[in-house]
C-alpha cells in the first residue's frame, strides 16, 4: 500500500479506523410529536456522515406530505380516521422500502423518523429488520415538560409546510390536538416487556437516560453522542489564527508567528469578543504559535488542544504551492483528484483530520459558548460538521483569514453569520484547478494558486 | 512566555476537571464495585486524570486486624457499627488529603453505601468541600454471577485466609444478607437531583441521571463499554524491520528476513491457540501489515496504532540524534513520557491518540494487536496499570507475544518468545541525563545494531 496516494474505492474500507458495522443498522425513533425526534434524527445523521458512516434519515411526515399534498387539520391523525390510518400505514411502508433500498445500496445506517408509539408498529419494524438482516436500535424521547414542548412547537412546527396558511394560535392549537391523537395509544418502551430490544430512552431533554442492550460499536458511539448533545441556546465562534509570516510567503504548514497584520487582527478579535458580551466564553486554540499568539492578544484564559493543530503536510511542510509542483508534481495532482482522502507523504489527509477532530466536536457539543481559534483545514472540517457539508465540499469550504464565523443552532440547523474584522490578509484559498491529470503542465496546476509575496 | 513550552507540557490534553470529583460506589457485596473501582481508576490514570481508590474494606481490615465471621456485619452489632463508621470517616479524611495535598482529581469511594443516610452524609461532605459527586450503583440479582464473583475475589480475600472455599462462600453469603434489609437503591424520584449511573446485571442495562461535566460523561462512556466476558488480548510488535537492523528509529520500512520468519511463526502460534473469533489489528505502517499478512486472517488497520512520530529524528540512529540534537536527546532522557520530538509526538500524545483503541479493545473479546514499541508500551501500561514514569521503559522486545487475560482484579500476563533472533531495540535510561553530559554517557545504553 503506497503512502501519499489517493486510495481506490476497493481499499477504502481498510482505511477506516474500525469496521463500524457489518450488518447495516436501522435506528428507529419513538415518541409523541414535538419531542425532538426529527431534531435528533437530523443531528445524529449529520454526525454519523461526518465521521464517515453513510447515514440517511427517512422522515415519515415527509412521505405523508407528498402523499396528501394538502394538510387540513389534526383530524387526519384521529385514531378513528380509517382513511387517515391507511394512508399513514402506506407512507410508513414506502419509507421502509426506501430504507431497504438505501441500506442495500451502500448505506450503513438508516434513521426511521416517525412516532412509532405503539408496540405493534415497533414489532412490524423489528420483523422487517430481521428479514433484511438489519440491526435495530430504538431512540425514544420522552418529555412531559409543557414549556419544552411549547418551545419545540414554536421553533419547528409553526414553520412546517403543514401550517403555511395558519396563524400562530391556530397552528399551535391544531398541533396540540394532533399530539392528543397519539397519546391514548402511546406505549412507551418498557423495562420488562422490551428488555430484549436495544434502545436508549432519553428523558427530559437529556437529564436522564435508560440504555438497554447496546449491541455493537456503532450503537455505543450513538449512545455516547446522544448523551452529550444539548439544546441550551449558545453560539460557537470559529476563526483562524491571525495572518502568519508563512501565510504571507505563500507557504503551507509550519509553526510561524503572526505577521504585523495578524497581530492587528488579534486586537480586533479582542474588541469583537468583548462587544459580543458572551457569558462564560471558553476559548480553545491549537498548540501552534499562531493560534496561541492570537488568543494571547484576546486576553482571556484559553485551552490548547493538540487535536486542533493544522493538517500535517508531511514532506510538503513549509513549501509554497510552486515548490510542491516543482518537487512533487505527481502528489500535487493526486491531491487535486481527491483532496478529501489524499494523504501527504508522511503527513495527513482531511479524512485523518476529521478523525482527529472527533473528540473536539464531542466536547463542542457538551459546551455552550465557545470560540475556536484554529487553522484553515481544521476550520473546514469543523464547519463541514456544523453545516452538514459532504466530503467532496469540505476541502473547498471558504475559510478566509481575519473572518469570524458565528454559528447559532436554530430549528434543525445552524444560522451562520460571517464577520470580517476589516484587517487585510493574504488569500490562502486554492480552488480545484480544471486539469487534475498527472500529465498536466505546471501552469495548469498553478492556475488557482492565490497571490503571495 | 508562559504559553508555548510550559503550557504545552502541562496540558497536551485540555483540562478535564476543575473541581475534584468524588465517585461513590453503591451496591451489595459481590456486585463488582471493587472491580469497577479499580478498572475505572486504572483508565482515568492512564488518560492523565490522577485518580485513587479508597476501599473501605481495607480500612476495616486495618482497624480490626483479624476477621472472625459475618457477625461483624450484623446490623445490630453496635460495636462493629462504630468501627465501620470511624473507618468511613477516616477514608473521607484521606480523600480530602488526596485532593488538597496530593493533586488528586478523582477519588473513588469504594464501599457499599447502601443506605440513603450514608449517601446523604457523603453528599453534604462533598458540598461542603466543593467536590462534585457521581454515584455508580451496581445492581445484580443473578445468583450465578454473584457466586462467580465470590469465588473469584472473595474466597481469596485476606478475610478468609484461614477458611476453606465452602466455609468462605457460606460466610460471605450471610454477610450479604446483613446488608440486604437496609439496602435502599438509588431512587428515580427521591434521588433525581443526584448525578449517577445505575448498572444492571453486568451491563445489559444502564440508567444515567444528570451527567454534570466532561469527566462524568467520559466515565459513563467507559463504564458502558467494559464487559466481563472471558477473553484474551494478544500484543505483539511487527517482525524485525530493515530499519530495526540498522538501529534506526521510526520510518516505514518492510520486514527483514528474520522479521518474515517471525510473522510465519506468529501465524503458527495463533493457529495453535485455537482462538474463537480472533480480531487482528495493525497500524498503517508496512511492517505491521506485512506481519499480519502472514497470519492468513482478515485484519483491520488503525492509523492510531502507528508508531510514535519522532519528527526531526525520524530514521536516525541514536548516534545521529546525539550528534545532531544532543540537547533534545538529553531532554528526552529527563522526561521521556512528556518529551515531544520537534515536529513529532510525545508518549503523552500517544496515549491520547490510543484512547479510542483502548475503548474498542474493552468492547471486543479476543484481539491480537500487531503494533510498535512505543505503542505497545502505552497499551501495556494501560492493561497492567503502570505509571507514566514506568511506561516509556517497559520491555517490549521484538518477536515476543504477550498474552493478557483478565483475572480477578487484574491481568495475567504470559510472555511467549517465538524463538526467532532479533536485534534488541530497548534503550534504558542512562545514568547522566544532564544536557552537559559527554556523548559517551548519552550513548552508554544504546543497544547494538548493524
Amino acid at each position: 500500500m503506497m503512502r501519499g496516494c489517493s486510495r481506490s474505492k476497493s481499499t477504502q474500507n481498510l482505511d477506516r479506523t474500525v469496521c463500524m458495522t457489518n450488518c447495516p443498522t436501522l435506528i428507529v425513533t419513538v415518541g409523541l410529536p414535538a419531542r425532538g425526534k426529527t431534531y435528533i434524527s437530523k443531528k445524529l445523521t449529520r454526525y454519523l456522515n461526518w465521521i464517515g458512516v453513510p447515514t440517511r434519515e427517512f422522515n415519515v411526515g415527509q412521505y405523508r406530505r407528498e402523499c396528501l399534498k394538502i394538510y387540513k387539520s389534526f383530524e387526519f391523525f384521529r385514531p378513528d380516521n380509517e382513511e387517515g390510518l391507511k394512508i399513514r400505514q402506506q407512507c410508513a411502508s414506502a419509507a421502509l422500502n426506501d430504507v431497504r433500498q438505501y441500506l442495500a445500496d451502500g448505506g450503513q445506517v438508516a434513521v426511521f423518523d416517525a412516532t412509532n408509539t405503539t408496540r405493534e408498529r415497533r414489532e412490524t419494524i423489528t420483523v422487517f429488520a430481521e428479514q433484511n438482516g438489519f440491526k435495530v436500535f430504538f431512540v425514544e424521547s420522552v418529555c412531559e415538560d409543557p414549556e419544552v414542548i411549547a418551545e419545540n412547537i414554536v421553533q419547528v412546527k409553526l414553520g412546517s409546510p403543514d401550517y403555511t396558511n395558519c396563524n400562530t394560535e391556530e397552528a399551535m392549537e391544531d398541533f396540540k390536538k394532533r399530539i392528543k391523537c397519539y397519546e391514548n395509544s402511546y406505549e412507551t418502551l418498557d423495562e420488562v416487556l422490551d428488555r430484549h430490544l436495544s434502545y436508549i430512552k432519553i428523558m427530559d431533554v437529556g437529564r436522564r437516560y435508560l440504555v438497554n442492550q447496546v449491541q455493537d460499536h456503532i450503537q455505543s458511539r450513538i449512545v455516547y453522542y446522544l448523551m452529550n448533545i444539548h439544546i441550551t441556546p449558545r453560539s460557537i465562534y470559529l476563526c483562524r489564527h491571525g495572518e502568519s509570516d508563512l501565510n504571507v510567503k505563500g507557504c503551507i504548514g509550519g509553526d510561524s508567528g503572526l505577521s504585523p497584520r495578524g497581530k492587528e487582527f488579534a486586537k480586533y478579535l479582542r474588541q469583537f469578543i468583548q462587544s459580543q458580551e458572551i457569558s462564560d466564553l471558553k476559548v480553545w486554540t491549537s498548540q501552534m504559535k499562531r493560534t496561541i499568539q492570537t488568543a494571547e492578544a484576546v486576553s482571556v484564559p484559553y485551552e490548547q488542544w493538540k487535536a486542533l493543530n493544522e493538517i500535517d503536510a508531511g514532506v510538503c511542510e513549509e513549501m509554497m504551492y510552486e515548490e510542491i509542483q516543482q518537487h512533487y508534481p505527481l502528489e500535487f495532482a493526486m491531491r487535486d483528484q481527491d483532496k478529501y482522502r489524499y494523504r501527504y507523504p508522511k503527513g495527513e489527509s482531511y479524512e485523518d483530520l476529521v478523525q482527529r477532530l472527533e473528540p473536539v466536536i464531542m466536547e463542542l457539543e457538551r459546551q455552550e459558548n465557545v470560540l475556536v481559534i484554529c487553522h484553515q483545514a481544521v476550520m473546514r472540517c469543523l464547519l463541514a460538521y456544523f453545516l452538514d457539508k459532504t466530503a467532496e465540499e469540505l476541502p473547498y469550504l471558504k475559510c478566509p483569514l481575519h473572518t469570524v464565523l458565528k454559528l447559532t443552532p436554530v430549528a434543525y440547523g445552524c444560522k451562520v453569520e460571517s464577520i470580517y474584522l476589516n484587517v487585510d490578509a493574504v488569500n490562502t484559498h486554492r480552488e480545484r484547478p480544471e486539469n487534475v491529470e498527472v500529465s498536466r503542465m505546471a501552469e495548469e496546476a498553478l492556475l488557482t494558486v492565490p497571490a503571495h509575496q | 512566555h508562559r504559553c508555548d513550552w510550559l503550557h504545552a507540557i502541562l496540558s497536551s490534553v485540555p483540562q478535564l476537571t476543575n473541581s475534584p470529583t468524588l465517585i461513590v460506589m453503591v451496591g451489595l457485596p459481590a456486585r463488582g464495585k471493587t472491580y469497577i473501582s479499580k478498572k475505572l481508576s486504572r483508565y482515568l490514570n492512564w488518560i492523565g486524570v490522577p485518580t485513587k481508590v479508597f476501599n473501605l474494606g481495607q480500612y476495616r481490615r486495618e482497624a480490626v486486624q483479624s476477621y472472625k465471621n459475618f457477625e461483624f456485619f450484623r446490623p445490630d452489632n453496635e460495636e462493629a457499627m462504630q468501627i465501620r463508621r470511624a473507618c468511613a470517616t477516616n477514608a473521607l479524611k484521606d480523600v480530602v488529603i488526596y485532593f488538597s495535598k496530593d493533586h488528586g482529581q478523582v477519588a473513588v469511594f469504594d464501599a457499599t453505601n447502601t443506605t440513603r443516610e450514608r449517601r446523604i452524609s457523603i453528599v453534604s461532605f462533598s458540598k461542603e468541600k466543593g467536590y462534585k459527586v457521581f454515584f455508580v450503583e451496581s445492581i445484580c440479582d443473578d445468583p450465578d454471577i454473584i457466586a462467580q464473583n465470590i469465588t473469584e475475589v472473595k474466597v481469596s480475600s485476606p478475610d478468609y485466609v484461614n477458611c476453606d472455599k465452602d466455609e468462605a462462600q457460606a460466610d460471605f453469603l450471610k454477610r450479604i444478607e446483613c446488608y440486604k434489609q437496609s439496602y435502599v437503591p438509588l431512587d428515580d424520584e427521591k434521588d433525581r437531583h443526584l448525578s449517577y449511573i445505575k448498572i444492571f446485571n453486568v451491563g445489559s442495562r444502564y440508567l444515567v441521571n444528570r451527567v454534570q461535566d466532561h469527566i462524568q460523561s467520559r466515565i459513563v462512556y467507559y463504564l458502558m463499554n467494559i464487559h466481563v466476558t472471558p477473553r484474551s488480548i494478544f500484543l505483539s510488535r511487527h517482525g524485525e524491520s530493515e530499519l530495526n537492523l540498522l538501529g534506526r528509529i521510526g520510518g516505514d520500512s518492510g520486514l527483514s528476513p528474520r522479521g518474515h520468519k517471525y510473522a510465519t511463526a506468529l501465524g503458527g502460534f495463533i493457529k495453535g491457540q485455537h482462538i474463537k473469533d480472533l480480531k487482528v489489528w495493525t497500524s498503517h505502517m508496512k511492517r505491521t501489515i506485512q506481519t499480519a499478512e502472514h497470519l492468513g486472517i482478515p485484519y483491520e488497520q488503525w492509523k492510531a496504532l502507528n508508531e510514535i512520530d519522532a519528527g526531526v529524528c525520524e530514521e536516525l540512529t541514536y548516534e545521529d540524534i546525539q550528534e545532531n540534537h544532543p540537547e533534545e536527546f538529553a531532554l528526552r532522557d529527563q522526561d521521556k513520557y512528556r518529551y515531544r520530538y520537534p515536529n513529532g509526538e510525545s508518549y503523552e500524545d500517544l496515549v491520547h491518540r490510543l484512547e479510542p483503541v483502548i475503548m474498542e479493545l474493552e468492547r471486543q473479546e479476543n484481539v491480537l494487536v500487531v503494533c510498535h514499541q512505543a505503542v505497545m508500551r502505552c497499551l501495556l501500561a494501560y492493561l497492567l496499570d503502570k505509571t507514566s514514569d514506568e511506561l516509556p521503559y517497559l520491555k517490549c522486545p521484538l518477536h515476543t507475544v504477550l498474552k493478557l487475560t483478565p483475572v480477578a482484579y487484574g491481568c495475567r500476563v504470559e510472555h511467549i518468545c517465538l524463538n526467532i533472533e532479533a536485534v534488541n531495540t530497548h534503550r534504558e535510561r542512562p545514568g547522566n541525563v544532564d544536557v552537559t553530559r559527554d556523548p559517551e554517557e548519552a550513548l552508554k545504553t544504546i543497544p547494538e545494531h548493524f
Side-chain angles (χ1 to χ4, degrees):
Chain A
M1 167 143 1
M2 280 171 66
R3 304 235 303 174
C5 299
S6 294
R7 276 156 181 74
S8 62
K9 271 230 132 75
S10 59
T11 54
Q12 223 171 309
N13 267 333
L14 292 177
D15 255 359
R16 270 206 305 276
T17 48
V18 64
C19 194
M20 294 280 194
T21 49
N22 338 59
C23 338
T25 302
L26 177 60
I27 297 177
V28 181
T29 63
V30 179
L32 293 173
R35 263 57 176 181
K37 296 184 302 299
T38 300
Y39 175 83
I40 289 169
S41 299
K42 287 182 181 267
K43 211 168 154 74
L44 187 56
T45 299
R46 178 162 57 88
Y47 168 70
L48 290 173
N49 277 311
W50 187 75
I51 61 170
V53 180
T55 305
R56 190 183 293 177
E57 29 133 11
F58 298 81
N59 176 285
V60 174
Q62 212 96 300
Y63 284 76
R64 188 258 307 154
R65 273 184 279 275
E66 251 147 74
C67 183
L68 257 202
K69 300 299 184 203
I70 300 191
Y71 172 77
K72 287 209 204 84
S73 78
F74 77 96
E75 309 261 0
F76 178 79
F77 291 97
R78 284 180 55 161
D80 54 3
N81 182 342
E82 281 296 335
E83 203 188 311
L85 279 172
K86 222 168 79 169
I87 294 175
R88 288 156 71 194
Q89 193 111 306
Q90 283 171 358
C91 290
S93 300
L96 283 179
N97 225 11
D98 286 351
V99 162
R100 190 208 328 258
Q101 184 101 318
Y102 174 68
L103 294 179
D105 268 345
Q108 264 186 266
V109 177
V111 183
F112 186 62
D113 177 17
T115 50
N116 299 312
T117 38
T118 61
R119 184 155 286 114
E120 181 195 2
R121 167 59 57 87
R122 297 194 291 267
E123 180 60 31
T124 310
I125 297 171
T126 307
V127 166
F128 161 84
E130 238 152 63
Q131 285 171 348
N132 287 284
F134 307 150
K135 287 183 179 174
V136 185
F137 189 74
F138 292 94
V139 177
E140 180 171 21
S141 173
V142 177
C143 179
E144 291 315 316
D145 184 336
E147 279 177 32
V148 173
I149 296 164
E151 177 63 27
N152 283 358
I153 299 176
V154 166
Q155 276 233 9
V156 297
K157 299 298 180 186
L158 300 186
S160 138
D162 291 343
Y163 296 113
T164 29
N165 297 320
C166 301
N167 68 37
T168 309
E169 282 91 53
E170 286 171 344
M172 181 74 82
E173 272 319 298
D174 184 270
F175 201 84
K176 287 193 176 146
K177 292 201 188 105
R178 210 154 112 176
I179 298 176
K180 278 251 169 297
C181 295
Y182 286 88
E183 271 175 5
N184 282 341
S185 59
Y186 181 19
E187 295 168 290
T188 183
L189 286 168
D190 184 80
E191 272 180 35
V192 179
L193 293 173
D194 297 309
R195 67 188 177 282
H196 296 300
L197 298 181
S198 297
Y199 65 85
I200 178 171
K201 197 189 268 224
I202 304 169
M203 296 170 269
D204 293 320
V205 206
R207 194 147 293 163
R208 208 166 146 75
Y209 306 90
L210 187 60
V211 180
N212 198 65
Q213 305 279 14
V214 170
Q215 298 172 53
D216 60 16
H217 179 102
I218 193 67
Q219 291 181 15
S220 159
R221 293 285 287 275
I222 288 166
V223 164
Y224 185 41
Y225 181 71
L226 292 177
M227 286 176 47
N228 279 320
I229 61 180
H230 68 78
I231 55 169
T232 310
R234 51 84 169 251
S235 288
I236 294 168
Y237 298 80
L238 300 181
C239 77
R240 291 166 66 187
H241 51 82
E243 183 192 68
S244 72
D245 289 326
L246 282 176
N247 284 147
V248 172
K249 297 205 187 92
C251 299
I252 67 173
D255 192 16
S256 60
L258 299 180
S259 70
R261 297 194 298 195
K263 291 189 181 133
E264 191 69 20
F265 164 72
K267 287 203 203 107
Y268 277 77
L269 182 61
R270 173 175 176 194
Q271 286 173 16
F272 171 71
I273 290 301
Q274 282 172 350
S275 74
Q276 289 278 303
E277 289 180 343
I278 309 149
S279 82
D280 281 329
L281 178 73
K282 297 265 159 74
V283 179
W284 296 351
T285 70
S286 68
Q287 288 187 352
M288 300 180 132
K289 292 202 190 78
R290 50 201 189 277
T291 58
I292 294 170
Q293 284 179 12
T294 307
E296 281 284 317
V298 178
S299 270
V300 284
Y302 58 92
E303 267 175 49
Q304 299 177 24
W305 291 69
K306 185 169 192 275
L308 285 171
N309 280 5
E310 182 58 316
I311 192 171
D312 184 353
V315 299
C316 298
E317 276 286 316
E318 301 198 42
M319 287 190 177
M320 298 183 285
Y321 288 117
E322 292 87 341
E323 289 171 302
I324 301 176
Q325 171 57 30
Q326 190 183 21
H327 299 288
Y328 300 99
L330 186 68
E331 297 293 330
F332 202 32
M334 306 214 60
R335 184 159 206 257
D336 284 337
Q337 289 177 19
D338 189 356
K339 196 175 177 190
Y340 184 72
R341 271 161 220 89
Y342 172 83
R343 193 184 278 166
Y344 282 108
K346 300 211 171 136
E348 296 176 298
S349 62
Y350 271 93
E351 192 172 31
D352 294 330
L353 245 197
V354 160
Q355 240 242 315
R356 175 158 56 86
L357 286 168
E358 202 265 349
V360 177
I361 286 295
M362 198 62 88
E363 189 55 19
L364 266 175
E365 285 294 346
R366 289 199 55 80
Q367 291 290 342
E368 293 184 18
N369 294 314
V370 187
L371 163 65
V372 184
I373 302 173
C374 54
H375 306 266
Q376 183 167 248
V378 168
M379 188 161 158
R380 283 170 171 157
C381 293
L382 298 178
L383 200 57
Y385 166 75
F386 287 109
L387 302 185
D388 203 15
K389 299 296 184 186
T390 63
E392 277 63 52
E393 298 171 296
L394 187 161
Y396 296 101
L397 293 175
K398 284 207 168 72
C399 295
L401 287 165
H402 299 184
T403 306
V404 182
L405 292 186
K406 176 179 178 179
L407 301 151
T408 312
V410 70
Y412 293 138
C414 236
K415 183 176 86 191
V416 196
E417 291 164 66
S418 175
I419 305 116
Y420 171 58
L421 291 189
N422 248 326
V423 179
D424 275 337
V426 293
N427 171 26
T428 58
H429 186 92
R430 178 175 167 268
E431 285 294 356
R432 189 181 197 263
E434 285 281 326
N435 192 344
V436 299
E437 295 295 318
V438 297
S439 54
R440 66 189 178 178
M441 311 280 282
E443 303 82 57
E444 296 179 284
L446 298 174
L447 212 68
T448 56
V449 171
H452 59 86
Q453 276 181 13
Chain B
H1 212 33
R2 176 191 75 109
C3 41
D4 300 323
W5 188 80
L6 189 62
H7 207 192
I9 294 283
L10 290 180
S11 57
S12 64
V13 288
Q15 255 222 317
L16 293 183
T17 51
N18 343 54
S19 345
T21 303
L22 179 61
I23 297 178
V24 181
M25 302 303 300
V26 180
L28 293 172
R31 264 58 176 179
K33 296 186 301 301
T34 300
Y35 175 82
I36 291 169
S37 300
K38 286 180 182 259
K39 210 168 156 73
L40 185 56
S41 165
R42 176 160 59 87
Y43 168 70
L44 290 173
N45 277 309
W46 187 74
I47 62 169
V49 180
T51 305
K52 188 170 177 186
V53 178
F54 296 82
N55 175 283
L56 202 51
Q58 214 99 298
Y59 283 78
R60 189 258 308 154
R61 273 183 280 275
E62 252 147 75
V64 172
Q65 294 301 322
S66 91
Y67 172 78
K68 285 208 205 78
N69 60 35
F70 78 95
E71 309 259 1
F72 181 83
F73 292 96
R74 287 179 53 161
D76 54 3
N77 185 338
E78 269 307 322
E79 200 190 315
M81 275 297 182
Q82 254 188 21
I83 296 174
R84 291 160 72 192
R85 246 177 257 129
C87 287
T89 307
N90 287 337
L92 289 179
K93 277 206 188 105
D94 285 348
V95 166
V96 174
I97 296 173
Y98 178 61
F99 284 153
S100 57
K101 298 221 168 57
D102 296 337
H103 309 293
Q105 267 186 267
V106 177
V108 184
F109 187 51
D110 178 18
T112 51
N113 298 311
T114 39
T115 62
R116 175 156 288 116
E117 179 199 3
R118 169 57 60 85
R119 297 195 291 267
I120 289 174
S121 76
I122 295 173
V123 171
S124 321
F125 158 83
S126 306
K127 227 177 227 151
E128 190 200 328
K129 300 281 180 193
Y131 307 154
K132 287 183 178 173
V133 185
F134 188 75
F135 292 94
V136 177
E137 182 171 24
S138 173
I139 294 180
C140 180
D141 43 27
D142 182 336
D144 289 333
I145 296 178
I146 295 162
Q148 167 82 344
N149 284 358
I150 298 177
T151 308
E152 271 224 28
V153 297
K154 300 298 180 185
V155 159
S156 52
S157 134
D159 290 343
Y160 296 112
V161 79
N162 295 317
C163 302
D164 75 36
K165 241 173 41 182
D166 298 310
E167 285 175 342
Q169 190 104 21
D171 184 88
F172 201 84
L173 287 169
K174 291 202 192 97
R175 213 154 109 176
I176 297 176
E177 288 304 313
C178 294
Y179 285 88
K180 270 195 180 158
Q181 278 181 348
S182 58
Y183 179 24
V184 180
L186 288 167
D187 185 79
D188 283 358
E189 251 310 295
K190 298 206 183 102
D191 296 313
R192 67 188 179 284
H193 297 298
L194 298 182
S195 297
Y196 64 84
I197 179 172
K198 253 193 214 222
I199 306 170
F200 295 90
N201 287 325
V202 207
S204 62
R205 193 160 95 246
Y206 305 90
L207 186 60
V208 180
N209 197 63
R210 291 200 183 252
V211 170
Q212 298 172 52
D213 61 16
H214 180 105
I215 194 66
Q216 290 180 18
S217 159
R218 293 284 287 276
I219 288 166
V220 164
Y221 184 42
Y222 181 73
L223 292 178
M224 286 176 44
N225 280 320
I226 60 180
H227 67 77
V228 294
T229 312
R231 49 85 170 250
S232 288
I233 296 169
F234 297 83
L235 300 182
S236 160
R237 288 168 69 188
H238 52 80
E240 183 190 67
S241 73
E242 299 287 355
L243 285 178
N244 284 147
L245 278 180
L246 299 172
R248 295 182 176 280
I249 66 173
D252 191 18
S253 60
L255 298 181
S256 69
R258 298 194 296 197
H260 280 290
K261 270 216 185 87
Y262 171 71
T264 310
L266 182 60
F269 167 73
I270 290 300
K271 275 207 183 69
Q273 288 277 304
H274 299 297
I275 307 152
K276 154 177 108 92
D277 282 331
L278 178 71
K279 298 266 160 71
V280 179
W281 297 351
T282 70
S283 69
H284 275 203
M285 298 180 135
K286 290 201 193 79
R287 51 201 190 276
T288 57
I289 294 169
Q290 285 179 10
T291 307
E293 281 287 317
H294 282 271
L295 302 177
I297 311 176
Y299 56 93
E300 269 172 47
Q301 300 177 26
W302 291 68
K303 186 169 191 276
L305 284 171
N306 279 5
E307 183 56 316
I308 192 171
D309 184 353
V312 299
C313 297
E314 276 285 317
E315 301 199 42
L316 299 184
T317 60
Y318 288 118
E319 292 88 338
D320 292 334
I321 300 175
Q322 170 57 31
E323 194 179 317
N324 299 306
H325 308 278
E327 188 173 326
E328 295 295 326
F329 202 32
L331 287 177
R332 185 161 204 255
D333 283 339
Q334 288 177 22
D335 189 356
K336 196 176 177 190
Y337 183 71
R338 270 162 221 85
Y339 171 83
R340 192 183 277 167
Y341 282 108
N343 291 347
E345 296 176 299
S346 61
Y347 271 94
E348 189 171 33
D349 295 328
L350 246 198
V351 160
H352 189 58
R353 162 150 75 83
L354 287 167
E355 202 263 349
V357 177
I358 286 295
M359 197 62 89
E360 189 56 20
L361 261 177
E362 285 296 344
R363 289 198 55 81
Q364 291 290 343
E365 294 184 18
N366 293 316
V367 187
L368 163 64
V369 185
V370 181
C371 55
H372 306 266
Q373 183 168 247
V375 168
M376 188 160 156
R377 284 170 171 156
C378 293
L379 299 178
L380 201 56
Y382 167 74
L383 294 164
L384 299 184
D385 202 17
K386 298 296 183 185
T387 64
S388 58
D389 291 324
E390 299 169 295
L391 187 161
Y393 296 102
L394 292 175
K395 285 209 169 68
C396 295
L398 287 165
H399 298 187
T400 306
V401 186
L402 292 188
K403 177 178 177 179
L404 297 137
T405 312
V407 71
Y409 293 135
C411 239
R412 185 178 80 212
V413 197
E414 291 165 64
H415 285 75
I416 303 118
C417 175
L418 292 191
N419 261 321
I420 312 266
E421 289 272 323
V423 292
N424 171 26
T425 59
H426 187 91
R427 179 176 168 269
E428 285 292 359
R429 190 181 196 264
N432 191 345
V433 299
D434 271 340
V435 297
T436 54
R437 65 190 177 177
D438 292 325
E440 303 85 55
E441 297 179 283
L443 300 173
K444 225 185 189 108
T445 55
I446 293 183
E448 291 178 5
H449 59 85
F450 288 96

